[in-house]
Amino acid sequence: MAAPASAGVTAPENMTHTANGPVSPENMTHTANGPVSPENVTHSANGPVSPAGGQKRPQFGTRFLTDPRQVFKHNAWDNVEWSREQEEAARLKVQENSAPLPPEKQEEFDCRAHEYWNDFYCIHENRFFKDRHWLFTEFPELSPRGKVARSSTEGACSGDVPAQNAPHLGVIGEEFPGSTASYRILEVGCGVGNTVFPILKTNNDPGLFVYCCDFSSTAIDLVKSNLEYDPSRCHAFVHDLSDAAVTYPVPEQSLDVIVLIFVLSALHPDRMQSSVNSLARLLKPGGVILLRDYGRYDMAQLRFKKGRCLSENFYVRGDGTRVYFFTQEELHELFGGAGLERVQNLVDRRLQVNRGKQLTMYRVWVQCKYRKTLTPPQEDAAHDRSQDLISKPAQRGELPEQ
C-alpha cells in the first residue's frame, strides 16, 4: 500500500487570488506592501525584491497586529495570538468532524494514492504551484555555500541551535548520479519542480547536485520535460517515501540537505517514522533536514466537513489526496526518533486577510531543521522538553495545545 510523497494540495477555497490568477497561500511572497505572487518577484544582488516597493523580501514573521482595528490595513499579519475562546472553538470544530471513515474506504484511499496524485498533475500540470523563492530566506542552506552564513541577529531564531560546520566530502568508491559532487541536496515530493528549479537557478555552486523525487510518475515526467532540467546537475526519479523497503539512488551518508515542503503530511501517520528513519540514514554527519508543513488547527483543517476524516488529524480531500496536521511535539518525536537533533522547531502562525470581502483566515504552519550529529549522541543525554520545542517569541508563537 502506498502513500503519496508529494506536496500538499490547497483546496480552491483556500487560494489567494492575484492579478495573475489563484495562488495557494504557502506560495505567496510577503512584502511590506502585502502578499506578492512569486512570479512578480525579481532578484537583486541582495535577494528577491518586489517590483512595487523595490525592497528586499523580509523573513517571515516581521509584521505584527498590535491594533485589531487595523486588521484590514495589510493582507497578512504574523505571530497572531489566539484567544482561549478561539482555541477552544478550533478544538471543538476538529472534534465535531473527527468521526473516521469506514476501514474499507480508508483502504481504498490508501491503495489508490498514486492514482489520485497522478490525476492531480494530469489536470493541473505545472499551473497549480508557483516557484518557492521564499525558501532561500527561510532556509539559507539551499543558497550557494558562500552566502549561507548570516550575522547572529539577521533572521536568527531565539533559542535556535547553531548549525555545525560539516565537511562536504564526496562519497569515495561509489558510482551514482552526482557522485563527484561536493554538495548534494534532495527534495522529496518535488511535484513539478517549484523548489528544484529555483535552487538550480539561484545556487551556482559548481559542486552542487540536486536530486528530486515524487510519488507521482506524471510529476516526474513534467520535471524532466522542463527546458531547465539539466541531467548534469539534477536527477529526478519516482519514489514512494512511505515504502521503507525501496532504496534511493544514492548511498547512505551522502546528502548534505534533504527538503520536505508540505510533503510529510501526505503520508499515512503509521508510516511517517520509518520514512524519516530512511531519510536520516542518507544524511552525512552534520547534514540537515528542512521541513515546512501544516500545523494543528490550520484553516485548511477547520474547513474539512464531516465524512473527510480518516483518523485523528488525518483527512482526505475531495480529489482523494490526503493531509495530516502536525504539532511541534509530533515532529520533534519523529526526527528525534531517527537520531536527529533539533536546530529549529517553530510555528509560523499567520492571519491572512481578504480586504475586499473583509474576511480573515488563520494559517498555521510548522517549520523545522533537524541535523545529523557529527558525533554519536550520548545515550544518557537528557534534553529539557521546553528547550527542545522552541518558538520565536518576537515573531512566532507555539501551537495551541489540544
Side-chain angles (χ1 to χ4, degrees), residues 46-236:
N46 296 316
V49 299
S50 68
Q55 298 176 337
K56 184 178 177 181
R57 181 198 177 282
Q59 190 173 29
F60 287 143
T62 56
R63 181 183 293 139
F64 311 111
L65 179 63
T66 56
D67 184 355
R69 295 172 298 179
Q70 301 296 317
V71 65
F72 294 107
K73 182 178 180 180
H74 295 289
N75 290 334
W77 301 93
D78 296 298
N79 191 34
V80 177
E81 295 294 331
W82 286 38
S83 66
R84 290 184 179 180
E85 292 77 14
Q86 184 180 5
E87 180 182 336
E88 178 63 12
R91 187 188 68 81
L92 292 175
K93 181 66 175 178
V94 168
Q95 187 178 45
E96 175 186 342
N97 299 326
S98 61
L101 289 172
E104 59 272 17
K105 289 296 294 182
Q106 297 193 39
E107 182 75 11
E108 176 185 346
F109 287 119
D110 200 52
C111 292
R112 299 180 59 191
H114 89 281
E115 295 179 34
Y116 294 125
W117 280 109
N118 276 333
D119 289 345
F120 172 83
Y121 287 111
C122 283
I123 294 170
H124 298 286
E125 295 184 338
N126 61 354
R127 299 183 299 269
F128 194 83
F129 296 110
K130 303 299 180 182
D131 287 353
R132 294 164 170 154
H133 295 291
W134 56 264
L135 286 168
F136 304 102
T137 304
E138 294 298 307
F139 299 129
E141 294 85 353
L142 303 176
S143 302
R145 277 179 279 164
K147 298 180 182 179
V148 170
R150 295 186 292 175
S151 69
S152 59
T153 58
E154 182 186 353
C157 295
S158 174
D160 284 1
V161 179
Q164 297 179 11
N165 293 320
H168 301 293
L169 303 176
V171 177
I172 306 300
E174 294 194 49
E175 290 292 332
F176 58 92
S179 59
T180 61
S182 58
Y183 196 75
R184 304 185 188 93
I185 298 173
L186 165 66
E187 186 196 8
V188 182
C190 64
V192 298
N194 300 116
T195 295
V196 169
F197 292 122
I199 292 175
L200 291 172
K201 283 187 283 189
T202 301
N203 193 333
N204 57 3
D205 184 345
L208 172 70
F209 196 90
V210 179
Y211 307 87
C212 58
C213 63
D214 200 279
F215 188 61
S216 167
S217 58
T218 303
I220 295 301
D221 287 342
L222 288 167
V223 170
K224 290 183 175 181
S225 65
N226 192 307
L227 294 177
E228 296 178 352
Y229 181 71
D230 181 358
S232 69
R233 301 186 67 210
C234 181
H235 177 64

Side-chain angles (χ1 to χ4, degrees), residues 250-326:
V250 296
E252 294 184 2
Q253 300 194 63
S254 63
L255 300 178
D256 296 275
V257 179
I258 297 175
V259 183
L260 300 170
I261 305 297
F262 296 94
V263 174
L264 197 60
S265 55
L267 271 62
H268 192 288
D270 291 346
R271 303 191 188 104
M272 290 180 182
Q273 186 64 68
S274 61
S275 300
V276 172
N277 292 348
S278 297
L279 292 175
R281 289 193 290 269
L282 299 178
L283 286 175
K284 297 176 182 178
V288 293
I289 290 182
L290 311 177
L291 173 139
R292 190 171 179 85
D293 221 319
Y294 296 100
R296 189 69 47 83
Y297 301 150
D298 178 64
M299 175 187 72
Q301 181 179 18
L302 301 184
R303 284 189 172 182
F304 276 108
K305 307 298 183 184
K306 291 181 178 179
R308 289 289 160 188
C309 184
L310 297 171
S311 61
E312 190 174 4
N313 302 302
F314 189 46
Y315 303 83
V316 61
R317 302 184 181 92
D319 62 4
T321 61
R322 299 173 296 178
V323 59
Y324 186 85
F325 295 88
F326 291 102

